[in-house]
Amino acid sequence: MTDDTEGAEAFTSTEDPFAVIGQWIDDATRSEINDPNAMALATVDSQGLPNVRMVLLKELDGAGHPARGFVFYTNLESAKGRELAATPKAALLLHWKSLERQVRARGIVTPVTAEEADQYFASRPRLSRIGAWASDQSRPLESRFALEKKVGQYTAKFGVGEIPRPPHWSGFRLTPVEVELWHSRPFRLHDRAVFRRSDPSAPWTRTRLYP
């Protein structure tokens, strides 16, 4: 078990949870074996029943961003895409086992701009871009062969040319109104601090929590 007392105390006294989250992501990038940017994302369906799945955090906005938050991308016609269109609120969890740290956040979800989506889509591996066209995400698939056939069709369609972003593929930004930072300590006497604000433009208030 880690004993990062100095780091733990720093996050329970900071006024800006994003500064700590950015540092923790940097630390995780050096320590985690796979996907240090993996996060659980929870949404709700039309009946209010929660859905949760792992997605990849693609950007943590900098201090100058007017809607500063956590950015991820998806097929807009997927379950999460449809649920976010109907109820644009969500919760997320980043957990780094090797560092024994967690970040929880809840807030308002808004679409990224077309420019942001285009820029990120262009950075993806070519086969991932083809896959975005070929996959009817979250919908029934008759066989693996059917998926591979569609991949082949789009591979042939685009050849060696540019692959545009599909109109059904884009991203979302979760701008938090609540963030909790958690750091493991011996004997389950963990350090926790929650940051809350009434809306995304309001200042944060910090409360230290019992473990």
Side-chain angles (χ1 to χ4, degrees):
M1 179 174 292
T2 59
D3 187 19
D4 185 11
T5 305
E6 182 178 351
E9 290 302 316
F11 89 72
T12 57
S13 60
T14 185
E15 300 298 327
D16 178 14
F18 279 102
V20 177
I21 296 167
Q23 182 59 59
W24 284 10
I25 290 173
D26 289 344
D27 293 344
T29 300
R30 293 188 293 269
S31 69
E32 296 295 308
I33 297 174
N34 294 312
D35 297 329
N37 59 333
M39 64 182 186
L41 176 75
T43 56
V44 295
D45 67 13
S46 59
Q47 304 302 311
L49 191 65
N51 250 333
V52 65
R53 77 287 285 165
M54 299 303 295
V55 300
L56 295 179
L57 172 66
K58 289 302 179 180
E59 186 174 359
L60 182 70
D61 294 318
H65 198 287
R68 190 178 190 184
F70 304 80
V71 177
F72 58 95
Y73 291 86
T74 188
N75 185 317
L76 300 179
E77 297 172 355
S78 66
K80 73 174 98 48
R82 295 193 307 269
E83 289 167 0
L84 288 170
T87 306
K89 299 177 182 179
L92 62 83
L93 168 67
L94 290 146
H95 173 232
W96 299 291
K97 186 173 182 179
S98 66
L99 296 174
E100 300 182 281
R101 296 171 179 170
Q102 294 184 82
V103 174
R104 298 170 60 204
R106 300 193 296 167
I108 309 302
V109 176
T110 55
V112 302
T113 65
E115 292 76 14
E116 287 177 298
D118 287 342
Q119 183 176 13
Y120 172 66
F121 188 77
S123 74
R124 302 181 87 205
R126 187 174 184 83
L127 285 178
S128 295
R129 283 176 278 162
I130 289 172
W133 282 95
S135 175
D136 295 326
Q137 190 175 349
S138 299
R139 279 154 287 180
L141 173 64
E142 60 186 85
S143 67
R144 181 74 188 182
F145 175 75
L147 174 61
E148 293 172 349
K149 181 179 179 181
K150 288 189 69 176
V151 169
Q153 290 170 341
Y154 280 105
T155 299
K157 175 181 179 178
F158 293 118
V160 296
E162 287 299 314
I163 303 173
R165 177 174 61 88
H168 58 263
W169 192 97
S170 191
F172 293 99
R173 171 176 284 103
L174 188 154
T175 300
V177 293
E178 181 175 306
V179 172
E180 182 183 321
L181 305 179
W182 179 98
H183 188 286
S184 177
R185 296 291 294 273
F187 309 111
R188 300 188 181 275
L189 299 176
H190 312 308
D191 281 311
R192 296 173 63 191
V194 62
F195 301 78
R196 297 186 177 99
R197 55 188 179 181
S198 56
D199 63 73
S201 63
W204 292 106
T205 61
R206 184 190 67 247
T207 304
R208 189 161 185 163
L209 302 177
Y210 274 98

